[in-house]
Structure formats: C-alpha cells, structure tokens
Amino acid sequence: MTPLTQILSIARAGNPARAWAMFQSSGWDARTDDPKALTLKGRLLKDQAKAAPGSERVRLYGLAAEAYAAAAQIEQASYPLINAATLAYLGGRPERAVQLAGDVLDLLADCPDEAETAYWLAATRSEALLLLGKNAEARAALTEAMATAPEAWEDHAATIGQFELILAEHNEDDSWLNRHRPPPSLYFSGLIALDENDPKLLDQIEMIIAQDEPGFGFGALTAGADILIAGALHRAGAELHITLPYPVARFRELSVEPYGDHWLPRFDMLMTAASRVDILSQMPGEDERPVDVAVDLCNLVTMGQCARNAQILCSSAKAITIVGTGEDPRRLFPIWQQSGRDHLILETRRTSDRPRTRRAPATIEQLHAILWVKDMSSLQIADQQEAGFDFVAAQGGHYHLSRDLTGALTLARKLEEAGDIVKISMVIDAINPSVPPTAILQRAEDIAHASEGGPLLTDHKTAMALTLLAPDRAIQEIGELQTAYGFIPLWSIS
C-alpha cells in the first residue's frame, strides 16, 4: 500500500483528522507538482469542511477547490475539474464555479474518449450544467447518466449526494432527485409456524413490495415468514442478501426441515437466487452458538446490513415482520422500532409453536460486547474499577464484558478520549460471562493488537450490529487481518 493509499484508507475509515495529520507530517500538503497528492488534498479538505461550522466550512471548501483545480491543471481530467467547480461554489465563489464548470464542458467536448465510464462522463456533464444554472439540461443529462448504468447504485448515490450539496447551498428544491435515488432496502423477519396460505397475509406482502419497490432484501430464510417475504421480493426482482446464523446445511436442518418438506425446495431456490449469502461463522474449536442467541445475533447483524446498505446508497431502509394475531414483535425487532426507521408489523394466525421439534432449553449464553484494551496501566484499571467497570487481566491486555452493547461503545469512546489508551477492539458475540470462550477472546485480542492507534477496531458482524445501534458513528471497512485462524475483515468505528 502506497503512502497516499494508506492515508486515503484512513480517511475512508471515518478519521479525516488523523488522515490529514498524516498527510501533513509526510510533507504531501506542500507538494504542488503531484496531481494524485493534490487530488487527495482536495478530498481531505472536503471531508473536513463537511464537519466544520459556518465560515470555517466555507473556507475549507475553498481550499479544497483550489487543490482540485491545481491537480486538473497538471493532468487534464474531468474528475478533479468538476470537484474544483462544485467546491468553489460551496466555498462562496460562484463566479469561479461557473468558470470551472464551463471548463468541464469544454474538456468533455474536446476529449469524448476520456478514460472514464459512460456513467461518470454523463453525470459529470450534468453536474457542470447544474452549476451553470441550466437546470432543465442538468436533469436531462442526469437521466441519461442513470440510463447508461441503471444498477450502478453506489455511483448514483455519490452523484445524488453531490447534487444535494449544490442545491442546498441556495435552498433549492431537490425533490426531483428522488426519482433517481437507488431503491429502498427491506429487512424482513417473523413467525415460523404460520398459516402460509392465508390470502390476506399473502396479499399484504405483495402489496407492500409493489408499493415500496424495494431493490434489496435482507434477512434469513427460516421456514415461514422469511421464505414468504423473500419469495415475494425475488419475484419482484429485488436482490436478496441472506444472512444465516449457521452453515447452510445446519441451518436447513434446524430452521427449515422441521417445519415441513414443502419448505425445502423454496429454501433451496432462494439460496441459489440470493445475490449474497453471509454465514455468521465461528472460530475453530468454538462450540456452536445456542439457537436463541444465534438467532438474536443474526437478526442484529442483518438489520445493520440493511441500514448500512441504505446509508451507502443515500436511500431509505424499512423493516417488515410478521407476528401472531395480537402478539408483539419478538427478538430484537424493537431495536429497529426505537431507531425511528420505517417499519410494518403484519399479523396472521399462528398454527403451532414448534412442529416436529422440542423447544430448545434456556441457555446461559447471551449477547455480550467484549471490550479489549492493550497496554492498560494499573492506574487506569483502578480508575475504571472505581467508575464501576470491571476489567479482567489476560495475556496481552485486559477485557471488559457487558450486556449493554451501546454502553460498551460509550466506554470505548471514553477510553479513547483519555489519550493514554489507543489500541482498543470490540467484539459482539454469544458469551457465557462465567466462562468466556477462549476463541472469542483471542479474536478480540488479535483485533486490538492490529490497531495503530486511533479508531476502535472490530470485525464484520460487530460493525454491522453497531451500524444499527450507533448510527452516529463512522463505520468503515479498512482491510483484512491475518490471524492464526485465517483472514478476517477489519472495520473501524470512530
């Protein structure tokens, strides 16, 4: 990884201040002859501007504009030039923005074969037209751009985000952008033992999907509600993103087969049709998670995946669950409700509780957060003990267990702000607090040791859970961590 790529990675991980400090300390901010350095400088200043107040935001946007403009002078390209134009506009220099936007259109006309995708060329032209006040032409060009890559959802979201900034600058109406937004994401869950032929329920599911037109469905594929909703989503052309608490064969054995052989072909078909399948894997030597807590963890992760997809795409997220008549939603659905996101609860007749199987016994394991801290001094431990937080000594550091998942995140922030402790990880999993699994402790330790200081680090499932639980945090994937048990995705939370 080159120095500039490393700095960009840190910026994408939601730590623009640290990225900027590294950029400056490495001397890159003084370079005026390297277009890549100037482009990154513009990106870092833009990130800072978005978080800055009032006049400071305008100043930083202006500096970012000039960095991009300098890059475009050295290496003629539409990407830095359109960024320079938009940021000049946001930086309070509309005349400069108009000049640069005109340069963008000239460049696109002179270099129609520029090494960019058809989408970005059309979107860039649309953005330049918007800056020039040619709104009707801008709208037509944006429609043309979307048509060149109708399912390039992340590209669409980036363009819409840029247009929102421009239109908001002078309080212009941006409702016309709604028709171009990526489709909503839908989290689905609900009852297993239900009347699968209930015509009212089936009509409700079809009507909701026809009305909301979700493009992405997130859930498991348990017999019952999951398969009914996933099937309707598939028929409507939505992408299915399936997350299972166990390997496929084991999940099929536990959550589909006991409820009737007729569910099996439907499960198999939807698994084949899924755009993505995630398995909440466990580490070698770790006992299988008990069913109830495994399902809770899976639900939390899947809700976070849905929320994150909508966040990335500048779109909306909604949840639908099916309950028995007169019953409240089960599992962790109330967390979604408390987040303020849109949701629907459908009722249907429950048939029986657990056909062909017996209810699993209550388990000691519950969802816990492990907060692992490296290099914690005895004085710091004493301070935390006095504050009511117990830390346990272990080889390579100290850890704290908590059923309060968001509380553990708050504690991590306090430790980070203390300044002396910078290498911290957090892992959410099914844990018996009396005997925490060695394998999970090892994962938390490995992740903490990978830290170079700065944001809290975590694994994929915890990052997805925290996307829902802590929507105010910047959560980004930053790479992979090689461990004795293989590679794991590494995420940062700041």
Side-chain angles (χ1 to χ4, degrees), residues 447-465:
I447 294 173
H449 284 207
S451 172
E452 296 179 354
L456 174 72
L457 298 185
T458 189
D459 59 5
H460 173 262
K461 69 179 186 310
T462 304
M464 292 303 99

Side-chain angles (χ1 to χ4, degrees), residues 256-266 356:
V256 185
E257 186 177 337
Y259 303 95
D261 292 344
H262 61 291
W263 290 109
L264 296 174
R266 299 166 78 173
R356 297 195 194 179

Side-chain angles (χ1 to χ4, degrees), residues 185-189 216-222 226 233 240-246 251 276-280 294-310 317-320 332-333 335-336 341 367 460-469:
S185 300
L186 180 70
Y187 165 71
F188 57 88
S189 64
F216 315 90
F218 293 81
L221 281 180
T222 304
D226 285 355
L233 285 166
L240 290 180
H241 294 248
I242 304 302
T243 300
L244 304 180
Y246 300 111
F251 180 83
R276 174 169 177 164
V277 176
D278 287 317
I279 308 296
L280 296 188
V295 170
D296 281 349
L297 180 60
C298 186
N299 284 340
L300 191 57
V301 169
T302 309
M303 286 190 283
Q305 289 172 322
C306 180
R308 180 172 180 78
N309 193 63
K318 187 172 187 174
I320 179 173
L332 302 183
F333 194 78
I335 293 178
W336 183 283
R341 294 179 175 86
L367 288 187
H460 173 262
K461 69 179 186 310
T462 304
M464 292 303 99
L466 293 176
T467 297
L468 185 72
L469 294 170

Side-chain angles (χ1 to χ4, degrees), residues 302-376:
T302 309
M303 286 190 283
Q305 289 172 322
C306 180
R308 180 172 180 78
N309 193 63
Q311 183 184 74
I312 289 172
L313 300 184
C314 296
S315 186
S316 60
K318 187 172 187 174
I320 179 173
T321 193
I322 299 175
V323 302
T325 305
E327 298 177 0
D328 292 326
R330 298 179 63 194
R331 300 296 183 196
L332 302 183
F333 194 78
I335 293 178
W336 183 283
Q337 295 173 286
Q338 292 159 14
S339 74
R341 294 179 175 86
D342 199 8
H343 63 276
L344 278 173
I345 301 171
L346 305 182
E347 293 188 356
T348 190
R349 183 174 68 86
R350 176 188 286 275
T351 53
S352 61
D353 192 18
R354 294 269 182 174
R356 297 195 194 179
T357 189
R358 297 169 62 185
R359 182 177 294 278
T363 60
I364 298 173
E365 289 86 349
Q366 299 292 334
L367 288 187
H368 283 77
I370 293 180
L371 203 60
W372 187 284
V373 185
K374 188 177 184 296
D375 301 329
M376 197 172 188

Side-chain angles (χ1 to χ4, degrees), residues 44-129:
L44 296 177
L45 288 167
K46 178 182 177 181
D47 287 346
Q48 293 179 67
K50 287 180 178 180
S55 60
E56 178 64 6
R57 179 173 62 250
V58 172
R59 185 184 75 84
L60 289 170
Y61 274 139
L63 293 175
E66 292 312 307
Y68 275 116
Q73 279 188 330
I74 298 171
E75 190 174 80
Q76 288 290 303
S78 58
Y79 170 75
L81 199 54
I82 190 60
N83 274 283
T86 294
L87 292 169
Y89 183 74
L90 299 176
R93 299 182 62 191
E95 299 84 1
R96 173 70 166 156
V98 166
Q99 174 203 332
L100 291 168
D103 291 343
V104 170
L105 294 180
D106 290 341
L107 178 61
L108 292 175
D110 294 340
C111 305
D113 297 324
E114 185 184 358
E116 277 288 0
T117 66
Y119 171 80
W120 281 116
L121 291 174
T124 297
R125 181 171 178 273
S126 175
E127 189 171 335
L129 290 167

Side-chain angles (χ1 to χ4, degrees), residues 141-332:
L142 185 58
T143 299
E144 175 189 334
M146 297 292 180
T148 64
E151 295 186 4
W153 306 122
E154 292 193 32
D155 291 347
H156 297 181
T159 300
I160 289 170
Q162 197 86 326
F163 278 42
E164 285 176 331
L165 288 173
I166 295 169
L167 294 169
E169 184 64 18
H170 286 137
N171 298 315
E172 293 185 48
D173 176 41
D174 66 1
S175 60
W176 59 274
L177 291 173
N178 291 338
R179 64 186 290 261
H180 297 299
R181 291 186 187 280
S185 300
L186 180 70
Y187 165 71
F188 57 88
S189 64
L191 197 62
I192 297 176
L194 49 69
D195 179 1
E196 66 198 79
N197 297 310
D198 177 353
K200 179 181 177 182
L201 176 65
L202 297 177
D203 286 347
Q204 285 178 313
I205 294 171
E206 295 287 350
M207 181 181 66
I208 291 165
I209 291 173
Q211 176 180 306
D212 294 346
E213 298 184 327
F216 315 90
F218 293 81
L221 281 180
T222 304
D226 285 355
I227 288 180
L228 290 182
I229 299 171
L233 285 166
H234 175 58
R235 289 191 295 277
E239 288 185 13
L240 290 180
H241 294 248
I242 304 302
T243 300
L244 304 180
Y246 300 111
V248 176
R250 180 64 170 152
F251 180 83
R252 194 174 186 270
E253 175 190 359
L254 290 174
S255 302
V256 185
E257 186 177 337
Y259 303 95
D261 292 344
H262 61 291
W263 290 109
L264 296 174
R266 299 166 78 173
F267 171 83
D268 294 337
M269 181 275 291
L270 291 169
M271 285 293 294
T272 301
S275 298
R276 174 169 177 164
V277 176
D278 287 317
I279 308 296
L280 296 188
S281 60
Q282 295 188 245
M283 293 167 61
E286 187 182 347
D287 292 339
E288 181 178 272
R289 297 183 186 101
V291 172
D292 285 352
V293 70
V295 170
D296 281 349
L297 180 60
C298 186
N299 284 340
L300 191 57
V301 169
T302 309
M303 286 190 283
Q305 289 172 322
C306 180
R308 180 172 180 78
N309 193 63
Q311 183 184 74
I312 289 172
L313 300 184
C314 296
S315 186
S316 60
K318 187 172 187 174
I320 179 173
T321 193
I322 299 175
V323 302
T325 305
E327 298 177 0
D328 292 326
R330 298 179 63 194
R331 300 296 183 196
L332 302 183

